[in-house]
Amino acid sequence: MDRKGVFPLQAFSSIETPFYYYDTTVLRDTLEVLTQQAKAARIEVHYALKANANRRILSIIRGYGLGADCVSGGEVKAAIEAGFPASKIVFAGVGKADWEINLALDYGIFCFNVESIPELMVIEELAAAKGKTANIALRVNPNVEADTHHYITTGKEENKFGIALGDLDAVIDAVERCPHIKLIGLHVHIGSQIMEMNNFAGLCNRINEVQDKLDKRRVVLEHVNLGGGLGIDYHHPNRQPIPEFETYLKTLRKMIKLRPGQTLHVEPGRSVVGQCGTLITKVLYIKEGVKRNFAIVDAGFTELIRPALYQAYHKIENISSEAAVEKYDVVGPICESSDVFGKDVPLNQTKRGDLLAIRSAGAYGEVMASQYNQRALPKAIFSEDIH
Ligand SMILES: *Cc1c(COP(=O)(O)O)cnc(C)c1O
């Protein structure tokens, strides 16, 4: 078995569970590698806030000079408050409300990623009312595979996202009738937790075809944005804490055919923050069931919903025990049968009061927490505050 992660157990003993623990050294090391590799590949990075919008995490990320990829007005506000310059904020999303568009126009963000003609018309109208011009990129649906869970693929025809390639001509016609819109880019995002570089290569090939078509219409774009989606190693968070940014970014740079002066952008979320976060939870009871033992813990899907929502795997460790390994179903206290973190999980023999570490929980963890069952939202503890 992989060795366990190293956690400050002494400090943890006085912190009320459950809580998120962020290892800021892992986060900074990740950002260091990401920014170095992005610079080498001449790729601009916008961090996807939806993966984790904890204020301190945002300010650390901001410190490395990344831009922000937002999918709501609330995220645009959070990005501004965390110090991301408006000129580095992109705003995507299939359903932007008028107030969200107005907010982004007022801040003067870099670019709206537009997903339909009706949305385009509303942005034109709202920008006209303000006497402003909105920069937009067209988010196309490239209809390519992403080899990931079907709930987190977004770039197939049946998904709600993006403009179908067959409709692109009509959308460009519409753009040309909008005096308050400036078309500056092309955007795609095909899904999340993608480990196969072939999927990204296929995406680049499709974008190359789209650009050939745009050339014929003499549409010249300033940037191509390939979205996010790079996966992380949920099975071995210690062996590979920093994702394969180099291979990923080099693949994109090699496969994409840019036009003169065009810049290349990406929007990673999970790969930036996934491995720095751990959900720490306490064992309330060991309950002997029929042919299985349940370790009932004080965290539930209210703190981390990924296992319940996408059948996602998270490595779980008993960080209080070195006794022989046994198997447990690790379950939460929420009144739903889906409130399960893992079945047949090998753990060092576990007893009431032990702390379990649910690893790789930095992305789509704390940010998706809810108050269902009138539970309190989880706290966040940072490694750099523990001495
Ligand atoms: C969710 C999302 C991302 C980030 O995806 P990750 O898999 O977390 O890297 C990037 N761009 C858009 C438009 C998104 O919706």
Side-chain angles (χ1 to χ4, degrees), residues 291-311:
K291 292 195 195 146
R292 54 183 67 233
N293 286 337
F294 294 101
I296 302 173
V297 299
D298 63 2
F301 71 52
T302 41
E303 283 70 38
L304 178 64
I305 201 173
R306 297 189 66 258
L309 192 59
Y310 320 113
Q311 294 127 21

Side-chain angles (χ1 to χ4, degrees), residues 46-51 69-71 90-93 113 115 139 152 154 161 187-194 225-231 248 266-273 363-364:
H46 291 94
Y47 165 67
L49 258 78
K50 76 174 194 280
D69 166 43
C70 303
V71 292
V90 298
F91 183 13
N113 292 337
E115 308 214 8
R139 176 173 181 175
I152 52 177
T154 55
F161 299 100
H187 176 232
V188 277
H189 172 70
I190 56 169
S192 206
Q193 187 51 23
I194 299 168
N225 178 344
L226 295 175
L230 178 64
Y248 166 66
V266 291
E267 306 167 331
R270 183 191 313 273
S271 55
V272 179
V273 290
Y364 307 104

